Amino acid sequence: MIFFQEASMMSDKHNLAAAAHGGLPDNEKPTLVVVGHGMVGQHLLEQLVSRQLHQQYHIVVYGEERYVAYDRVHLSEYFAGKGHAELSLVADGFIEQHGIELRTGRQIVAIDRQQRQVLENDGRAQQYDRLVLACGSSAFVPPIPGSEHSSCFVYRTLDDLDSLAARAAGSKRGVVIGGGLLGLEAANALTRLGLETSVVELSPRLMAVQLDDGGAAMLRRKIEALGVSVLTGKASQRIEPQPDGTLQLHFADGSLLETDLVLFSAGIRPRDRLAADAGLTLGERGGIAIDDHCQTSDPSIWAIGECAAWQGQLYGLVAPGYQMARVLASTLAGEEAAFVGADMSTKLKLLGVEVASMGDAHGLTPGSQSYFWTNEPREIYKKIVVSADGKSLLGAVLVGDSSEYNMLLQMMLNGMALPEAPETLILPQSAGQPSKALGVAALPDSAQVCSCHNITKGDICAAVKAGCSDMASLKATTKAATGCGGCAALVKEVMEYQLADLGVEVKKDICEHFAWSRQELYSLIRVGNIRTFEQLLAKHGQGRGCEICKPLVGSMLASCWNDYLLTPALLPLQDTNDRYFANIQKDGTYSVVPRMPAGEVSAEGLIAIGEIARKYQLYCKVTGGQRIDLFGAQLEQLPEIWQALVMAGFETGHAYGKSLRTVKSCVGSTWCRYGVQDSTGFAARLENRYKGLRTPHKFKMAVSGCTRECAEAQSKDIGVIATDKGWNLYVCGNGGMKPRHADLFASDLDDEQLVRYVDRLLMFYIRTADRLQRTSTWMDNLEGGVEYLRQVVIGDVLGIAAELSDDMQRVVDSYQCEWQTTLANPDRLALFRRSVNEAQPLSEWNAVCQLDEIPPQAGIGARLGVQPIALFRLEDQVYALDDREPGTEACVLSRGILGDSGGEAMVISPLYKQRFRLRNGQSLDNPALFQRSWPVKVEQGQVWVAANPLIPAESATIARSE
């Protein structure tokens, strides 16, 4: 990204960049200056680029903050671990690729309209031909004595949040002045910082603009139940610092409140001083007056966003600002466009409480009628306001459950007819009764689904017809649901409606052998007490299985019953890593990872590992999870290496399985001067509890001993960070190709609470995730996300918390080190060899091995003369193929999984999942490719293989690596 420190640094490279994009050099273009690089300013840049206006204008953008534009709507997530990079709205390379000049950390202090230039605070000037003011707003701080104290803060920028967090680190109590939308968001931030929080509101109710008395009362009860104190009808009079560094907040009624810090969030004010000083016309209530084209009283100057006033109306939401940006970009491009006001409906979660408001929520329209529904036990309040004739929806209030929001909003915005009994729209639906509304099918194509980006139902349907079949591709193509996110559920509904209309069935069958989803199969296994793949296949499937369903069922059986994986019934289900309890490498050797709980290891343990590595000539690598990985072990060496490691006090590290990999830790309070808890000891406890747990995908954990976060806990599936009160629990993060910060799940937990919550969450993940789905993707796809997880795990909304805990305890109690179990079973040890026989002179038919030396429904390596072959035993047949995996030098095909495709028996190679017919070696993925195969016969339990291979079709290519 380009950051200019001097306006004079306009150089030839920018002119060349502009020319490369098909435009004139910058010094030949008119200059468009944008003052303000917030959410609306960045959206304007995107709209300008989409209309190719960056080729017509030299665009110069000023941002006062040191950061590029970021998502202020989700600002509180900064305290849940998201940094600026994750909140940023500027795509990598966007600024450079489009020749935009971005000047961050630069403040414009004056506009010289006569000279058409803007002046910076250090005296530098920038000429403009067109000027756009996207200055935004500033936090309103009531003019009360003491408000300037260093422990008083506002809640607008990342720098504000950094200052707040620094003060909160040594505080216990915090007060928010302001009980509106912003105030409750600020209160959420204080609770995330671990403070005892109070909200002070001048009005007699919370969210006075959006909610009526009933809705506000319900919201207050729910927030107070979360431990937040609410004081309404309180006029703050002064703030007095105390000798001990605390503050006293005094009220007009003579009462006071003691606190460690004060956070002002009592509304916003448009930043119109720059315009006022330049003589531009302002609105009656402030703001820069604009017309329908966002033009100010100066024809060369436009204003958009929170600093603008249209017909005297100020807009404090991002969607109207985006709408203004689109209108302005269209106007500059010579297109017809007009800003005609914006819907101010709101749906969000405040301190975890669902709140929604739309239209005439207070029923002020003459003759309007209101319908109310209250469920006090569940703390739900709903209200709709309809026209006098009962035919039109005018407004609504929803607290505690906003599930009807999208439906009601569309009915209101599109003038859709109400049912004869409008109250049914908010009353619970009785069993067997028809749906309350017609759903998305009744919406016109012109219905606006995403107000942030002005995406209509028709836009979404068109994108689906063009190939978007999931939310990820739909978001990337249309940007729907990428703004505030409030429309995500409706966007998904429209997408699924259009897919159904196209005749596309969204199937969740795991493969051709099971017409069930992973979640359904898991339930069938548990409820039916199914212990083997054959039982499951006989009752609920067909065929012989494949590389998809076999490992999946093997993992689910392990999650439920935790039986030894190499029993004859379970061995055929295991991919090569789980079959040999080690990680296969590209040359057919394996890596071995002994467990080191929390990364702890003794000097004797390190010496033992070093001696083993030297004896077997293994390459050693310290992993990112604080373990030692030993590479290059041959298949037959694995038991010997395990034996030596077990004798040295180690056990399997399960690095080969879809299971717990590691629990990373720092040294914590034992050694570190900053540590506040024993992170190493607690990490070891967690690792020893969850070791061996089979899950839909691998998962990782970490424990940090303080907020300096040396263990990087917030990048893990389960992250734990110490506080002076206990532990903060973070969930569903991950590193890798698509990193995701974990979400704060619960704060200040004791050891037992945290273990109980992790038990439940992991077992719920095992029950409900899709195949090979990481926890981060799983949570992102859960309806309700992290808040729903809290309700299940902490609130026990499904009534299964005790069951989840019991399930986990059964897994913990049945743990076994798979290395040690194998070492104690001579018949299983016999499987750990590259060849079941020695090289021998060739005859027409060659005795290779006994039938019972080949594991049923699986394979083993053998020799035909000196040729490595793979012998497979499927039902009552034995097959012989070349053991070398095509495209490699590794003789590993014998370690592949057996199954069928369309009834054709096949083997799936362990390295690159290539599929070959067992009867003739033909590839199912490339029919012209054949793996050499040989005739096989079995006589009196003896397996015989012919010396001459079967001859494929003349046009075939033999798969071999010489």
Side-chain angles (χ1 to χ4, degrees), residues 883-899:
D883 198 26
R884 187 175 286 110
E885 176 155 348
T888 77
E889 294 297 323
C891 293
V892 295
L893 190 64
S894 55
R895 307 171 204 176
I897 287 177
L898 303 185

Side-chain angles (χ1 to χ4, degrees), residues 683-912:
R685 176 184 174 183
L686 293 175
E687 184 158 348
N688 284 316
R689 181 168 182 81
Y690 302 116
K691 60 187 180 185
L693 175 67
R694 256 48 182 210
T695 48
H697 208 300
K698 67 183 178 184
F699 71 102
K700 301 178 182 181
M701 304 172 71
V703 182
S704 286
C706 71
T707 55
R708 299 170 81 90
E709 248 284 69
C710 294
E712 301 168 329
Q714 292 177 81
S715 65
K716 300 294 186 284
D717 299 274
I718 300 293
V720 182
I721 300 178
T723 72
D724 56 358
K725 301 175 184 177
W727 306 99
N728 284 352
L729 174 61
Y730 292 80
V731 301
C732 302
N734 67 260
M737 292 178 63
K738 295 182 178 180
R740 182 192 189 281
H741 263 285
D743 287 346
L744 179 63
F745 190 72
S747 302
D748 298 327
L749 304 174
D750 60 36
D751 293 9
E752 301 309 319
Q753 280 180 307
L754 189 140
V755 169
R756 184 162 60 250
Y757 293 165
V758 174
D759 280 358
R760 295 173 183 175
L761 188 144
L762 288 176
M763 290 310 300
F764 190 58
Y765 165 57
I766 289 170
R767 285 192 182 191
T768 60
D770 288 333
R771 169 180 171 268
L772 298 180
Q773 188 175 51
R774 290 294 298 269
T775 59
S776 57
T777 308
W778 166 66
M779 190 190 74
D780 286 342
N781 283 276
L782 278 179
E783 192 74 32
V786 69
E787 181 56 33
Y788 175 65
L789 272 185
R790 289 194 190 99
Q791 293 172 7
V792 173
V793 171
I794 301 175
D796 195 17
V797 68
L798 300 180
I800 60 172
E803 187 179 328
L804 295 174
S805 296
D806 291 343
D807 287 350
M808 179 62 77
Q809 193 58 49
R810 275 194 295 272
V811 173
V812 172
D813 293 341
S814 59
Y815 169 77
Q816 58 186 303
C817 172
E818 290 152 344
W819 291 354
Q820 296 182 44
T821 304
T822 304
L823 291 170
N825 283 268
D827 64 321
R828 298 297 89 184
L829 286 174
L831 300 172
F832 288 79
R833 47 183 170 168
R834 280 180 286 177
S835 178
V836 74
N837 64 335
E838 300 295 332
Q840 57 189 358
L842 280 177
S843 304
E844 182 179 358
W845 283 94
N846 302 273
V848 177
C849 66
Q850 294 296 310
L851 179 63
D852 60 9
E853 291 184 272
I854 308 174
Q857 320 306 319
I860 198 164
R863 293 276 180 175
L864 182 62
V866 295
Q867 168 68 44
I869 64 172
L871 294 177
F872 300 105
R873 180 180 173 188
L874 184 63
E875 296 164 353
D876 58 352
Q877 295 289 316
V878 177
Y879 304 89
L881 300 179
D882 191 332
D883 198 26
R884 187 175 286 110
E885 176 155 348
T888 77
E889 294 297 323
C891 293
V892 295
L893 190 64
S894 55
R895 307 171 204 176
I897 287 177
L898 303 185
D900 78 283
S901 176
E904 180 72 50
M906 64 177 180
V907 60
I908 302 92
S909 69
L911 286 177
Y912 301 113

Side-chain angles (χ1 to χ4, degrees), residues 407-686:
M407 173 190 70
L408 294 174
L409 180 62
Q410 292 301 324
M411 295 185 78
M412 184 185 76
L413 294 179
N414 294 287
M416 297 168 65
L418 296 178
E420 289 188 12
E423 66 272 17
T424 59
L425 295 173
I426 55 174
L427 289 175
Q429 186 174 335
S430 301
Q433 293 298 308
S435 175
K436 300 177 188 178
L438 297 177
V440 295
L443 295 178
D445 284 346
S446 60
Q448 187 185 66
V449 175
C450 174
S451 60
C452 288
H453 294 286
N454 193 32
I455 307 301
T456 66
K457 174 189 171 183
D459 295 331
I460 295 171
C461 291
V464 173
K465 290 176 182 177
C468 295
S469 58
D470 55 39
M471 284 294 286
S473 60
L474 193 61
K475 287 180 178 181
T477 301
T478 67
K479 287 201 169 184
T482 62
C484 70
C487 64
L490 183 58
V491 171
K492 185 178 180 183
E493 283 185 60
V494 175
M495 178 190 72
E496 293 176 346
Y497 154 78
Q498 185 59 49
L499 286 171
D501 191 58
L502 294 172
V504 177
E505 182 180 2
V506 183
K507 298 185 67 176
K508 292 195 174 182
D509 299 356
I510 62 167
C511 67
E512 66 180 88
H513 304 101
F514 291 99
W516 307 92
S517 68
R518 182 198 174 277
Q519 298 91 328
E520 291 166 336
L521 275 183
Y522 185 85
S523 297
L524 291 172
I525 290 170
R526 281 178 48 83
V527 174
N529 195 32
I530 292 174
R531 311 290 294 229
T532 69
F533 182 78
E534 286 72 21
Q535 289 176 330
L536 184 66
L537 198 65
K539 288 186 177 182
H540 305 291
Q542 60 181 0
R544 300 183 180 97
C546 64
E547 78 280 12
I548 295 174
C549 62
K550 280 191 167 182
L552 173 62
V553 172
S555 174
M556 291 191 292
L557 291 171
S559 298
C560 288
W561 319 121
N562 215 17
D563 294 329
Y564 177 51
L565 298 187
L566 297 191
T567 61
L570 297 180
L571 181 147
L573 310 183
Q574 312 307 325
D575 212 338
T576 184
N577 287 1
D578 278 308
R579 176 173 169 179
Y580 296 111
F581 304 131
N583 282 40
I584 195 169
Q585 304 302 317
K586 67 179 185 179
D587 61 354
T589 64
Y590 290 84
S591 68
V592 177
V593 184
R595 185 172 301 286
M596 297 178 184
E600 282 189 309
V601 61
S602 66
E604 291 77 11
L606 284 174
I607 291 170
I609 289 174
E611 290 176 341
I612 292 167
R614 182 167 57 189
K615 178 179 179 180
Y616 294 97
Q617 298 183 353
L618 305 177
Y619 170 73
C620 301
K621 180 75 170 65
V622 178
T623 73
Q626 302 175 334
R627 305 294 182 269
I628 297 177
D629 206 342
L630 306 173
F631 289 83
Q634 298 292 344
L635 178 61
E636 65 273 12
Q637 293 176 329
L638 290 175
E640 298 174 17
I641 294 170
W642 297 344
Q643 184 67 60
L645 288 169
V646 169
M647 293 294 291
F650 294 101
E651 61 182 358
T652 174
H654 287 96
Y656 44 81
K658 297 294 185 286
S659 57
L660 173 66
R661 292 296 173 88
T662 62
V663 183
K664 189 175 180 180
S665 78
C666 63
V667 296
S669 58
T670 307
W671 294 94
C672 180
R673 66 186 186 276
Y674 299 111
V676 295
Q677 302 286 352
D678 179 11
S679 56
T680 305
F682 195 48
R685 176 184 174 183
L686 293 175

Side-chain angles (χ1 to χ4, degrees), residues 250-267:
H250 292 261
F251 302 114
D253 62 7
S255 60
L256 61 84
L257 185 63
E258 295 185 342
T259 183
D260 297 307
L261 62 85
V262 173
L263 182 55
F264 289 105
S265 193

